[in-house]
């Protein structure tokens, strides 16, 4: 009956959340132990961005968040593990939509910076306090302002993103002004 269906939907959703939590936790432990295998090859990031956007579009539409990509004609080809970089894009874009207010916007910038690849995901969310800009990249660290409205996260996504970008010899950081949105940026070497 209807009530049983409702309960089963909740159970399925919560099971998926647990699977994601276990997988994230295993991923991070493996990377911290230096046991994660990366498969590097020269690649264009454009198809990965499109894939991430395609997956996340229904969520953005449901929240009425405008998604936009601003990229150079030919972003630099850099060595990357495409599956892992896709994981970072999913985390950045997913967070940007999650923390952005209804009717807000998320913009992805892709460009070359002295031959390096620079990707930035900018949102119109609540922003992050200065003292937490670095801490949120540590596991289980969540900024109280944004997270008080969204208790559901694991606090592992950005720690995993940091491990992945560092394994590529790249850099990752966040920039924000409280109340003015946030930008999450990574740079991959040529
Ligand atoms: P989760 O989103 O599961 O909590 P993450 O590691 O991806 O874990 O993010 C850690 C914390 O960083 C979040 O809980 C939130 O406090 C903060 N954060 C991440 N992205 C954003 C964003 N776009 N805007 C505001 N805060 C953010």
């Amino acid at each position: 009956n209807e009530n049983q269906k409702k309960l089963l939907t909740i159970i399925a959703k919560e099971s998926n959340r647990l699977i994601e939590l276990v997988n994230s936790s295993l991923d991070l432990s493996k990377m911290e132990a230096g046991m994660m295998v990366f498969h590097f090859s020269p690649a264009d990031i454009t198809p990965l961005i499109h894939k991430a956007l395609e997956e996340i579009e229904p969520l953005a539409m449901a929240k009425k968040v405008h998604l936009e990509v601003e990229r150079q004609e030919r972003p630099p080809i850099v060595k990357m593990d495409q599956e892992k970089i896709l994981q970072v894009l999913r985390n950045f874009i997913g967070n940007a939509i999650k923390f952005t207010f209804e009717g807000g916007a998320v913009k992805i910038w892709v460009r070359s910076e002295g031959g390096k690849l620079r990707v930035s995901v900018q949102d119109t969310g609540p922003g992050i306090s200065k003292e937490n800009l670095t801490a949120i990249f540590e596991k289980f660290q969540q900024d109280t302002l944004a997270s008080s409205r969204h208790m559901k996260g694991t606090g592992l996504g950005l720690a995993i993103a940091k491990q992945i970008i560092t394994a590529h010899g790249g850099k990752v950081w966040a920039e924000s002004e409280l109340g003015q949105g946030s930008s999450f940026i990574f740079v991959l070497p040529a």
Side-chain angles (χ1 to χ4, degrees), residues 12-31:
K13 221 170 127 185
E14 292 303 308
S15 307
N16 280 334
R17 225 152 65 79
L18 275 179
I19 292 169
E20 273 172 33
L21 173 61
V22 171
N23 282 338
S24 295
S25 194
L26 284 174
D27 261 10
L28 186 59
S29 302
K30 223 171 170 179
M31 288 180 201

Side-chain angles (χ1 to χ4, degrees), residues 41-178:
S41 60
D44 180 353
I45 196 159
T46 312
L48 300 181
I49 290 178
H50 286 153
K51 186 154 193 242
L53 286 176
E54 212 176 276
E55 289 171 9
I56 225 145
E57 209 158 24
L59 188 69
M61 273 172 74
K63 250 189 113 173
K64 298 188 180 66
V65 171
H66 177 71
L67 280 176
E68 200 180 329
V69 184
E70 177 105 15
R71 67 178 180 90
Q72 282 181 333
E73 197 63 35
R74 285 171 184 275
I77 305 292
V78 298
K79 258 191 217 154
M80 63 175 93
D81 181 317
Q82 296 186 52
E83 206 39 58
K84 301 285 192 302
I85 293 299
L86 182 58
Q87 205 175 337
V88 176
L89 290 171
R90 281 185 185 124
N91 174 252
F92 279 15
I93 302 170
N95 276 346
I97 293 171
K98 179 164 78 170
F99 293 112
T100 291
F101 310 107
E102 212 176 286
V106 171
K107 193 162 178 180
I108 301 155
W109 306 77
V110 184
R111 61 181 167 90
S112 164
E113 196 175 67
K116 294 176 180 174
L117 172 70
R118 186 186 203 274
V119 178
S120 159
V121 179
Q122 186 185 33
D123 66 52
T124 57
I128 300 156
S129 48
K130 283 263 171 304
E131 64 267 27
N132 282 332
L133 280 176
T134 317
I136 50 169
F137 286 91
E138 303 301 321
K139 57 187 163 188
F140 306 126
Q141 293 287 338
Q142 298 177 310
D143 189 63
T144 44
L145 183 79
S147 301
S148 57
R149 299 190 306 124
H150 307 269
M151 293 308 286
K152 279 199 168 158
T154 60
L156 291 176
L158 286 176
I160 293 172
K162 188 178 162 186
Q163 289 279 345
I164 291 174
I165 299 301
T166 307
H168 281 71
K171 282 205 168 98
V172 59
W173 71 97
E175 292 172 1
S176 179
E177 290 288 337
L178 269 186

